[in-house]
Amino acid sequence: MAFKPLTVNTPVGEKAHILAEDDAALYDGIFGEDCVLKLGEQFASKTISNNVIRVMDGVVVVGGHVGRIIKGDYEDMMIDNGIADQKRNDLIVARFQSGGTGGADTYSLVVVKGTPGSTAKDPAIVQEDLYAGGKRRDYPLYRVRIENLSVVGVDKLFKVNRNFKVLTEELDKTREKIDSVNKTLEERTNGKVKIYGDAEGGNIRITSPNGVIWEIDAYNDNLRVYCDDGSVSFNFLKDGTLNIADLVISSVRTRLSEFIGKIKNAAYCTVVNNATTTGAGTVLDGRMGKTLNDKIASVSTVANEDRLRLNKVEVNLSRATNTLGSAYGVTAKYRTNEYMTTVYFYGQHVGASMGAYQAIGFGALPAGKRPLNKIQIPCAGVAGLYMTVDASGMACLFNETPNTLSFGKTWVNGHLTFVN
């Protein structure tokens, strides 16, 4: 049966139909990643001694499978003694080991011991896709750095997942920032220019120094310019007709005489150079056009600045594909923007023999597009062979074992994404 119903009642006496992997599939879809939840002490660490790192309470999700140290409790992780004049990195990981569909699983915090040497390297861990049939997945929580006989540092490696409350708060803050952009126009004009929307469509409101309000809107799909008291109105209709204070002009030829007849009395009006006069029999001086134009120019300047800001964000998000190089049938490419970089490995490796901790390099990423620390994922076909990008930006295939690796043709496919 392909489809499996979960939240249904089954007949009395039938065996349980909801398994741990069913719940894990649901949680994996919700969280979308391995993480520690924002609860309790969130797996905070305390160094008790050179042999004990204490992990405090919290909840961890690995491949959708949930594990917990209950509130107020903790788990002590035992660290083996260091060696004089040697360095070593140990990893504290949350390890899920699948027992197969309906089988007995194991889930615990374990210490993966690193190899001592003149330089410290993180030990290899297994991170199989449990949803795709993988059996084991390690989620690194802490790196314990050991020099000589002492623990010199404990590095937090996990991500605390933001819950819905935090996401809602962040969305509210984003909405506030958007509102602040709109408010910026009003602030720069001391409230004299406002852009807003209502049931009539988009609106621009301009207020004179004396409080006279003009509006521009798209009422009934037409462009309308009017004084707030309704005494003056200009309507540019979508069919090309112009209506000026109840005078309709649809054709210059046929309506010119009517237009002249309507405006002839304006020749006897008093010319005023302000936006405050309300008396009858007055017309505006042409210099008022400059005053109104300056207001519009101010609005245009602010709008252009906002457009430039949005354009900068768009440019920073754009990504282009670049080739680092090829070797033995495998090509490494990368895509990058202002914030993140992804390195892609693809091709069928023709086979090689690689010495212990030897690398096959493809090229280095440019400065500013490199990870803070070395990152890597295993090559599926060759145990111990990893697709790697180190802190110098070098993309390579790396033998992470202390032995020589010899292998024939094998597909190398994968990608590594990191914050610049």
Side-chain angles (χ1 to χ4, degrees):
M1 181 174 65
F3 177 74
K4 180 180 181 180
L6 297 180
T7 54
V8 295
N9 293 325
T10 55
V12 176
E14 284 196 1
K15 65 179 182 179
H17 72 291
I18 300 180
L19 304 176
E21 49 263 37
D22 295 322
D23 283 341
L26 174 63
Y27 290 134
D28 203 19
I30 292 174
F31 297 117
E33 61 183 346
D34 296 341
C35 61
V36 169
L37 301 188
K38 195 175 182 64
L39 287 171
E41 296 201 45
Q42 303 170 26
F43 276 24
S45 70
K46 294 183 180 180
T47 302
I48 305 302
S49 69
N50 287 323
N51 297 104
V52 178
I53 303 299
R54 179 167 294 173
V55 180
M56 309 307 292
D57 66 74
V59 179
V60 65
V61 181
V62 179
H65 295 269
V66 181
R68 180 189 181 202
I69 298 177
I70 65 173
K71 180 66 176 176
D73 204 352
Y74 59 84
E75 183 158 345
D76 285 339
M77 310 304 298
M78 305 308 297
I79 306 299
D80 287 352
N81 290 330
I83 300 175
D85 300 324
Q86 297 286 298
K87 298 179 180 179
R88 190 181 84 228
N89 285 352
D90 290 354
L91 293 180
I92 298 175
V93 305
R95 173 172 293 172
F96 181 86
Q97 181 71 49
S98 172
T101 302
D105 306 323
T106 60
Y107 196 0
S108 59
L109 302 186
V110 300
V111 176
V112 182
K113 184 178 178 180
T115 302
S118 57
T119 59
K121 296 181 179 180
D122 291 346
I125 57 176
V126 177
Q127 292 187 303
E128 296 174 340
D129 187 345
L130 301 178
Y131 190 78
K135 299 298 183 184
R136 176 177 151 190
R137 187 168 183 84
D138 293 341
Y139 179 44
L141 300 176
Y142 290 102
R143 174 189 299 110
V144 182
R145 290 181 283 110
I146 304 162
E147 295 183 8
N148 296 312
L149 304 178
S150 301
V151 171
V152 296
V154 179
D155 303 328
K156 175 183 172 182
L157 303 177
F158 61 84
K159 176 181 178 181
V160 176
N161 190 282
R162 296 173 292 179
N163 56 34
F164 292 127
K165 179 178 181 296
V166 173
L167 291 175
T168 300
E169 291 173 350
E170 291 181 355
L171 286 174
D172 288 341
K173 291 178 181 178
T174 301
R175 189 178 299 109
E176 290 173 1
K177 291 180 180 178
I178 294 174
D179 290 341
S180 70
V181 172
N182 294 330
K183 293 177 180 177
T184 299
L185 179 61
E186 294 183 64
E187 292 170 354
R188 291 187 178 183
T189 61
N190 294 320
K192 301 300 183 182
V193 180
K194 179 180 180 180
I195 298 177
Y196 68 97
D198 59 16
E200 298 178 355
N203 296 267
I204 300 177
R205 171 175 290 183
I206 303 175
T207 304
S208 77
N210 296 309
V212 176
I213 298 174
W214 284 84
E215 290 269 355
I216 303 174
D217 63 25
Y219 180 68
N220 284 342
D221 298 331
N222 304 311
L223 180 63
R224 179 174 65 169
V225 182
Y226 63 95
C227 189
D228 199 47
D229 62 8
S231 60
V232 181
S233 180
F234 303 86
N235 285 283
F236 300 90
L237 307 185
K238 61 183 178 180
D239 63 1
T241 300
L242 172 62
N243 183 308
I244 305 177
D246 299 324
L247 168 64
V248 177
I249 302 176
S250 58
S251 169
V252 173
R253 281 185 180 179
T254 61
R255 306 301 295 276
L256 184 58
S257 60
E258 179 183 354
F259 178 76
I260 293 174
K262 289 280 187 177
I263 67 171
K264 63 181 181 179
N265 291 333
Y268 304 100
C269 293
T270 301
V271 178
V272 295
N273 185 32
N274 61 63
T276 61
T277 300
T278 59
T282 60
V283 295
L284 285 178
D285 187 288
R287 287 173 292 178
M288 281 301 296
K290 174 66 166 58
T291 300
L292 295 175
N293 186 68
D294 289 345
K295 293 288 187 181
I296 295 173
S298 176
V299 173
S300 299
T301 299
V302 174
N304 186 60
E305 290 175 353
D306 291 340
R307 180 187 63 78
L308 293 175
R309 293 189 187 98
L310 292 174
N311 183 65
K312 182 177 180 181
V313 172
E314 182 179 4
V315 170
N316 288 344
L317 290 175
S318 63
R319 305 182 76 191
T321 302
N322 305 276
T323 299
L324 282 170
S326 300
Y328 300 97
V330 178
T331 298
K333 297 183 177 182
Y334 71 97
R335 299 188 71 192
T336 186
N337 59 29
E338 185 71 14
Y339 311 108
M340 301 182 70
T341 298
T342 301
V343 178
Y344 301 86
F345 298 85
Y346 178 80
Q348 189 178 46
H349 199 292
V350 299
S353 179
M354 299 173 61
Y357 306 116
Q358 181 182 349
I360 296 176
F362 297 95
L365 294 166
K369 309 293 183 182
R370 299 169 180 175
L372 182 61
N373 298 299
K374 182 175 75 173
I375 57 174
Q376 57 186 186
I377 55 174
C379 295
V382 182
L385 183 62
Y386 286 78
M387 291 168 273
T388 301
V389 179
D390 62 24
S392 70
M394 178 60 67
C396 61
L397 292 180
F398 197 84
N399 176 5
E400 282 283 8
T401 72
N403 305 307
T404 297
L405 284 179
S406 296
F407 54 92
K409 288 186 176 181
T410 183
W411 278 103
V412 177
N413 298 289
H415 66 274
L416 295 163
T417 299
F418 53 89
V419 176
N420 295 334

